[in-house]
Amino acid sequence: MGGVNLVAGFRPELWREAAPDDAPAELVGFNEDLIGIDGFVMPATQHDAVLWISGSAYDVIFDVARAAIAELHGLGAVVEETSSWPYRHDRDLTGFIDGTENPDLVDAPDLVLVPEGNPGAGGTILLLQKWAHDVAAWESLPVTKQEQVIGRAKPDSVELEDKAQDSHVTSTDQDTFGKIFRRNMPYGTVTDHGTMFVGFSSEQRPLSTMLESMAGLTSGVRDALTFYTRAVAGAYYFVPSTDWLRRVNGTAA
């Protein structure tokens, strides 16, 4: 209420070097492009660290972001910045409701936080991707065709009974690949915009297999949505728990 949420993530290899006891063993960065069928590519744009700041008003986010950058002076430099905003409450810029299969906030921690007794306990794995929309191509489609591409009805996000194999819902089915928690946000300007995919999971595999499925490597069929939106950035980060950071910093209660 009037403040911000701050998520700090680190390139897996860097975090393993800095905190070997707190690094999930099999987690790796998005170090190579993911090559799908038909020459489709999800590019790797891995950075060393990410700060994701969200809040109810941009002025507060702006001030916190500047303060964070100032604190990191001499340790790191900003190489990319993206600003996002909510669109029509819970829709992305395709006009569809996003995150319909998300677990609720009560169940999400048990599903997306690394379990106790494991390296990185209480932390989570973040997949961050930037997708640019081909607005003209998408908006030229009738709503019924858009619904077939997504696999859901546009007004209320009800899953279609006759959804196609290449629909986005089928390609990213969480009952098949595992549960994740999405916090996608629109980004950009009126003339150049798209979606920031923000996905959290307790393991990397659900995230990576969804990407492989979208690229057509699982079924030989590419996600239909990838013909209307193009990945332009992709990275994995480990987000340590705030309790771990406080213990290391000597500020634990």
Side-chain angles (χ1 to χ4, degrees):
M1 298 296 292
V4 301
N5 294 316
L6 171 63
V7 175
F10 302 88
R11 178 169 56 89
E13 294 82 2
L14 177 63
W15 188 250
R16 186 169 294 112
E17 180 180 342
D21 294 337
D22 193 58
E26 299 181 359
L27 179 60
V28 296
F30 205 135
N31 300 319
E32 297 180 357
D33 293 350
L34 176 61
I35 310 298
I37 64 173
D38 304 326
F40 176 72
V41 178
M42 293 185 189
T45 56
Q46 185 72 52
H47 297 303
D48 285 334
V50 64
L51 293 179
W52 180 50
I53 303 169
S54 62
S56 59
Y58 185 69
D59 56 350
V60 186
I61 295 172
F62 180 84
D63 288 342
V64 170
R66 291 190 66 217
I69 292 169
E71 287 289 336
L72 294 171
H73 179 71
L75 297 173
V78 177
V79 294
E80 185 174 349
E81 175 187 352
T82 301
S83 296
S84 298
W85 70 93
Y87 179 70
R88 297 190 182 182
H89 181 58
D90 54 4
R91 295 181 186 266
D92 64 27
L93 295 183
T94 66
F96 283 75
I97 296 172
D98 189 75
T100 303
E101 289 193 10
N102 254 356
D104 61 38
L105 294 179
V106 174
D107 295 331
D110 291 335
L111 294 171
V112 303
L113 298 184
V114 177
E116 290 297 324
N118 295 280
T124 188
I125 295 161
L126 164 64
L127 170 61
L128 189 65
Q129 282 188 302
K130 191 173 189 176
W131 291 81
H133 292 190
D134 185 341
V135 181
W138 178 254
E139 292 184 348
S140 70
L141 299 177
V143 170
T144 53
K145 176 59 177 177
Q146 291 181 359
E147 291 177 332
Q148 286 297 321
V149 169
I150 299 295
R152 294 187 180 277
K154 194 168 187 177
D156 53 15
S157 201
V158 172
E159 190 170 327
L160 302 181
E161 293 185 3
D162 60 344
K163 59 184 177 296
Q165 183 185 5
D166 66 347
S167 72
H168 185 58
V169 168
T170 301
S171 298
T172 60
D173 183 10
Q174 293 193 33
D175 291 332
T176 301
F177 301 107
K179 291 294 184 180
I180 67 171
F181 186 75
R182 299 157 54 112
R183 287 294 305 275
N184 293 1
M185 293 292 287
Y187 79 88
T189 65
V190 172
T191 57
D192 179 16
H193 52 257
T195 297
M196 291 299 300
F197 176 86
V198 183
F200 297 97
S201 178
S202 61
E203 298 178 298
Q204 187 170 28
R205 194 60 186 158
L207 297 164
S208 61
T209 53
M210 284 184 188
L211 296 191
E212 291 166 1
S213 174
M214 291 178 66
L217 299 178
T218 303
S219 65
V221 178
R222 224 173 92 191
D223 186 333
L225 187 57
T226 65
F227 290 93
Y228 304 95
T229 182
R230 176 174 55 90
V232 295
Y236 286 107
Y237 298 97
F238 178 66
V239 179
S241 71
T242 52
D243 288 342
W244 193 95
L245 292 174
R246 287 174 179 144
R247 289 197 303 271
V248 169
N249 196 41
T251 58

